[in-house]
Amino acid sequence: MRLSVVAAISHGRVYRRFGLSPRSRLDLLRNLVTALVRHERIETPWARADEMRGYAERLIDYAKRGDKDERAMRMADFWLTEKDLVHKLFKVLAPRFQPHPGSYTRLLQIPNRDGLDRAKMAVIELKGNPLPPLVRPRRDSDKTLLNQLLKGYRQDAQRAAAA
Amino acid sequence: VLVLVRSPLPRLRALLQRCWGRLDRGLWPGVFGGQSPPWGPAVAVQGPALVPRGWSDAEAPSPLESVLWMAAPKQRRTIEVNRCRRRNPNKLIEIKRNIDVCPECGNLKQKHVLCGYCYAKVKEETRLIRMEIYKKEGGPFNTPTVETVVLYEGEKPTEKDEGKRIIERARKRPSWFVQN
């Protein structure tokens, strides 16, 4: 049981500090969540994207409960500042992610920002969005040396087993 | 060789007593040459009166006491020593070994980061798609409550695209945007 809070030591604190105050941090993250639900893919500093990811996924978990649920509606009302996105959340995103148990977002790092600060940037997107894909899944080519050697070994093994 | 260390105190005390005795009786002519000894009864005075005269007259502290002493290097560091310090491995920029070639475009990329060229391509295409979306929606806060699908020139919506909002792009489908 915590009898005192030592302000100078931050062992075990998981939340990053953003903005001017805790309230400002929540407003910042709320803006990012709204932008993600609206555009389905946003590019922001990596720390903000990482922090926002948890909140966005929990919001979708709440939305999966259905819009009749009082808590889900209050959460959506707080976290989405543009109220037409509440409709999009419950009618588009919740059915889209119904079969998936979790991890509705993808976080990828991009080259550092071009400005003076060279900040570490990331792009965060909802899975299943209609936009062009960021990373193409690479199937291993059969023509690489290792795969040719393995193929030869497999053929030798089959010939030895047949004979 | 055995060295014996004798305690000097009793012998020294005996010697001093003999010397003082001889001086008092005047039996040590080599000290003052027969004149009266300079030591007579003396006045025992307290400490501060015996302070030498020169110190009580000085009012202003000398500049050597009022200046703040700070550390400064005593010798010039030679160029050899400087080179050793400047070129020590912990001062050099560490070499990155996580740079690879992007298999799509052939530009260099870091292993855990997306390729800059490919991402710029995707970003530009996304921007054009979003412009089409804004034109279709007309104004702000008009997000539809259905999914969206992007179709390029000469493409028809399939049965999977039933009930989705269609965004038309006036160009050929790029090779890296595979239609699902």
Side-chain angles (χ1 to χ4, degrees), chain A residues 41 43 84 96 109 130, chain B residues 112 114 119 130 141 143 148:
Chain A
R41 178 187 289 172
E43 177 187 317
D84 56 320
R96 191 203 284 183
Q109 190 181 346
Chain B
H112 60 291
L114 295 182
Y119 176 69
R130 282 201 186 129
F141 309 128
T143 324
T148 311

Side-chain angles (χ1 to χ4, degrees), chain A residues 76-147:
Chain A
D77 182 53
F78 175 78
W79 279 98
L80 300 171
T81 50
E82 292 158 17
K83 301 309 166 190
D84 56 320
L85 294 175
V86 175
H87 299 278
K88 178 178 174 180
L89 176 73
F90 284 107
K91 293 179 187 166
V92 176
L93 299 182
R96 191 203 284 183
F97 294 123
Q98 201 64 48
H100 300 282
S103 89
Y104 317 114
T105 54
R106 188 179 286 130
L107 178 69
L108 298 159
Q109 190 181 346
I110 52 183
N112 287 357
R113 201 194 257 152
D114 284 328
L116 179 67
D117 63 350
R118 309 296 296 174
K120 178 178 180 183
M121 298 291 280
V123 55
I124 179 167
E125 63 167 8
L126 294 169
K127 292 184 182 168
N129 62 66
L131 302 169
L134 283 167
V135 52
R136 284 178 69 186
R138 276 237 132 207
R139 294 243 339 268
D140 226 358
S141 160
D142 208 28
K143 298 193 179 62
T144 60
L145 177 64
L146 184 62
N147 283 342

Side-chain angles (χ1 to χ4, degrees), chain B residues 31-140:
Chain B
V31 180
F32 286 107
Q35 287 138 16
S36 65
W39 42 78
V43 178
V45 284
Q46 299 296 323
L50 287 174
V51 165
R53 294 290 172 80
W55 285 43
S56 55
D57 291 338
E59 284 102 15
S62 72
L64 277 172
E65 280 129 36
S66 60
V67 80
L68 179 63
W69 289 106
M70 293 190 69
K74 197 73 184 170
Q75 292 290 345
R76 174 209 160 103
R77 288 192 197 173
T78 60
I79 186 62
E80 294 86 7
V81 164
N82 281 339
R83 280 199 197 114
C84 286
R85 184 185 67 255
R86 288 169 195 161
R87 296 180 190 184
N88 190 31
N90 73 16
K91 292 245 169 104
L92 303 175
I93 306 171
E94 52 178 85
I95 40 174
K96 289 194 206 271
R97 297 184 193 275
N98 53 0
I99 304 181
D100 256 343
V101 171
C102 170
E104 313 275 325
C105 59
N107 290 324
L108 296 175
K109 70 184 264 300
Q110 280 193 299
K111 284 185 188 158
H112 60 291
V113 179
L114 295 182
C115 168
Y117 186 80
C118 301
Y119 176 69
K121 246 180 3 192
V122 171
K123 195 170 158 183
E124 176 60 25
E125 186 60 31
T126 321
R127 190 182 69 87
L128 296 169
I129 292 173
R130 282 201 186 129
M131 266 172 45
E132 297 287 326
I133 292 175
Y134 298 153
K135 268 193 281 185
K136 193 147 194 180
E137 283 180 3

Side-chain angles (χ1 to χ4, degrees), chain A residues 11-25:
Chain A
H11 291 168
R13 310 263 174 121
V14 291
Y15 300 124
R16 293 180 181 83
R17 301 161 99 184
F18 289 120
L20 315 155
S21 69
R23 180 69 208 209
S24 143
R25 168 183 171 273

